Amino acid sequence: MKKSNIIMLIAALLPLGLFLFPLWRITLEAPQYPIPLAMNIHINDFSDVHPHDIKNINLMNHYVGMKYIPEAIPEFKIFPAGIIITTFIGLIIAFKGNYKWFLYWFVLMVLLSSAGMYDFYIWEHDYGHNLDPKAIMKFTNPDGTVMGFQPPLFGSKDILNFRAHSYPRLGALFLGLGIAMSLFAYFVGKKHYKNS
Amino acid sequence: MKNILKLTLTILSALVALTSCNNSGKSDSRSGALAGNVAEKVYVAPGEHDEFYAFISGGFSGQLSVYGLPSGRLFKVIPVFSQDAEKAYGYNEETKPMLNTSHGFVPWDDSHHPDISQTGGEIDGRWIFINGNNTPRIAKIDLSTFETTEIIEVPNSAGNHSSSFVTENTEYVVAGTRFSVPVPQKDMPISEYKGNFKGALSFISVDPEHGHMDIKFQLIMPGFDYDLSHPGRGKSHGWFFFTTYNSEEASTLLEVNASQNDKDFIAAVNWKKIEEYVNNGGGTMVPANYAHNIYDEDTHTATSTMKKEVLTVNPLDVPGAVYFLPTPKSPHGCDVDPTGEYIVGNGKLSANLTVHSFTKMLDAIENKKFAGDAYGIPILNFEDVLAGSVEQPGLGPLHTEFDGKGNAYTTFFISSEVVKWKLGTWEVVDRQPCYYSVGHLMIPGGNSQKPWGKYVVAMNKITKDRYLPTGPEVTQSAQLYDISGDKMELLLDFPTIGEPHYAAGCPADLIKPRSKKIFKLEDNKHPFAAKSEADTKVVRDGKTVHIYMTMIRSHFSPDNIEGIKVGDKVYFHVTNLEQDYDVPHGVSMIGANTSELLIMPGQTETFLWEPKQEGVWPFYCTDFCSALHQEMQGYVRVSPTNANTPLKWSLGEDIE
């Protein structure tokens, strides 16, 4: 087996780390929470960082009319299937394909990940803006529009008395490494092809 | 002439002013610079934690209070033997059984001596035990929840004072009777006290895993007053020492009649020997009647069981198990040093402090050097067991603690001071005044083989001018001294709850990591728990109504209830659905003849309401829980006894 194909094989397998480690974490810091509230987003689940964090995020968020974080979302079925299918494709490419296919897989993964991030943004936006009209507390921006409580897609942001952080976790690192390695496999394969 | 007089007066008044200026300047400079230094030593910055926990008994308040050292800040009053409306202890249906006794519901006691559980002679921070003096009881408090989880009544006892000290692996907690009484109790002339009354020393075993208590045996001793006690440790592990007074066996005017003998005794009890005797079938099971109350953390409910017999042991049946050490002048405190060698008998009417030697005691026993006997129990010779005396250290010695560095600290009630002296040389090395009339003192870990000899807390009976006055009843007080150096240094006064008797202390790190934050809702096995709003309901059973209610920020479910009638017995079983640290909710109902409930996250508690008037009556949350706390309320409609109003309940919609 060629060196580039071995690298591609590893690249195709790395995203499976998403089934072992969380993809993302949203953390909410405030003075009255010495231990911040936080939830992990896995490829197929939400989980508490400390016991009962999601329950307590829900209790707090309902004051401004945010919905409860659901037990499950459709993405929890689509994303794992997507990863398994793309890994499968990646494996076929690693065994059968030439280096050009590595680039196609790379492009596919970048497109799918971007779609995933866009979906995440849409979900966050809905969660933070689609508020219950009977909410106990209503806040408006200085320009008079209704204030949203959308956590940042990536990075940190102040929301009322909270500071919200949104950052990738180990699962995302596995995915990113896999994608980067497929590009690396492409260059190695290309170099090898030119040399021969 | 006038001018001269004026001049003289001016000079004089200037001198007086200067003098007084100097004086006040002097005293200021004395305390001023030092005071700043001292304040730093007890300062715990906002958000920081104290180094030690101190558990100070509430005396006639019947409770146990929790303080931080060195700040002296009060954290909690743990209800033990007295009802506490603040926490619904003894008011809610779950904890009422904790205060059951053979005399019925006794919602008060006199709590004296707390002692923390030990493993291998060192404090382990799992439980703390404390005695109820008036209606003899021993309570166990779980230090993961700071709640009283068990109370056992002690039969054949009265004035449970030489109690509740633990052996070095918490094998036993003792409960010695201060007052001797007829055993078993009977109607007889008080004048026939002598020879007929008995003193029971109870050894209560502690289950090493769960801490459950059980009276293993009662040693039925002669009718003296058993005042205080202390376990042996290290080399003397296996022995327990009890001071006695009234070896005269008087029953009237004891201040005179019990002060006639020059020496009373320290009773040395070889409990290992008696344990062996009992394990081999020794002792006599006799009828008794005493309550054993256990609080179950899963059901959040206490149960009370009446026990009907107790195993008694006649000391004469176990030769070599009990001896008397003559000790001058009505000894009060009985304290054993961390090595287990020295037994200090604080003769409260004696000018000197008597210290016995454990090694000498064993030697005297082996060589059968007896001075006689009392009711068949051998009395050792005073000189044979004496290790030494501290000569004229002060007036009215009461209690002694040890710093683990070879020093002892004794309180003197009459001369109001703490005196530091050296073990072995018996020389006084330092003394500090107390304000005023000091009783017990406490060094963290003082009742173990490993004291943390950094601070001593003196507990004072009288305060007079130390704080702002609060009418005729002023606060009781504790005083904190730094004992890390050669000389003691007074650092702080702080007020206490009730009258502080003994205290127990330990490093915060022994307890802090094990402190429970919430009760897990899924582990709640209370028979009337509603674990979600979907489980809430109202059930009528004849004239009894059970309301399965939940609470969460910021509402009750249900919050509208109809169909209750005058004369019903309405039980509110309320579950706190929160699972967040420090989010309890409270609930109270207008006209309920009980206290509010204060319910921790994941817990269920119950109160009884018996509506006596028709109407629509509100209930509400009593513990400020969130921004919408004021909105956390509900109504119960009460109809006449013979009405046909159907039973209905709702949340978030109008009752149809």
Side-chain angles (χ1 to χ4, degrees), chain A residues 33 35 37 51-52 55-56 59-60 62-63 136-137, chain B residues 518 521-522 552-554 577-580 626-628:
Chain A
Y33 290 94
I35 300 169
L37 295 170
H52 314 295
K55 175 174 178 162
N56 291 321
L59 269 173
M60 181 188 74
H62 96 273
Y63 286 122
I136 299 158
M137 293 180 183
Chain B
I518 58 165
L521 198 56
E522 66 256 37
I552 197 161
R553 278 162 286 177
S554 315
L577 296 179
E578 305 279 355
Q579 293 286 270
D580 197 1
S626 74
L628 280 306

Side-chain angles (χ1 to χ4, degrees), chain B residues 616-635:
Chain B
V616 180
W617 307 103
F619 56 92
Y620 69 98
C621 176
T622 51
D623 184 7
F624 211 109
C625 55
S626 74
L628 280 306
H629 163 73
Q630 289 301 86
E631 283 74 7
M632 196 166 168
Q633 62 183 55
Y635 287 103

Side-chain angles (χ1 to χ4, degrees), chain B residues 134-184:
Chain B
N134 183 59
T135 304
R137 289 178 267 188
I138 301 279
K140 182 190 80 210
I141 293 141
D142 188 325
L143 289 180
S144 69
T145 56
F146 285 55
E147 285 182 2
T148 306
T149 53
E150 193 168 348
I151 293 181
I152 193 164
E153 193 185 353
V154 186
N156 299 325
S157 269
N160 174 31
H161 194 262
S162 41
S163 180
S164 51
F165 304 100
V166 299
T167 53
E168 66 178 40
N169 294 299
T170 321
E171 294 97 335
Y172 292 99
V173 174
V174 296
T177 190
R178 187 172 131 205
F179 309 118
S180 283
V181 288
V183 175

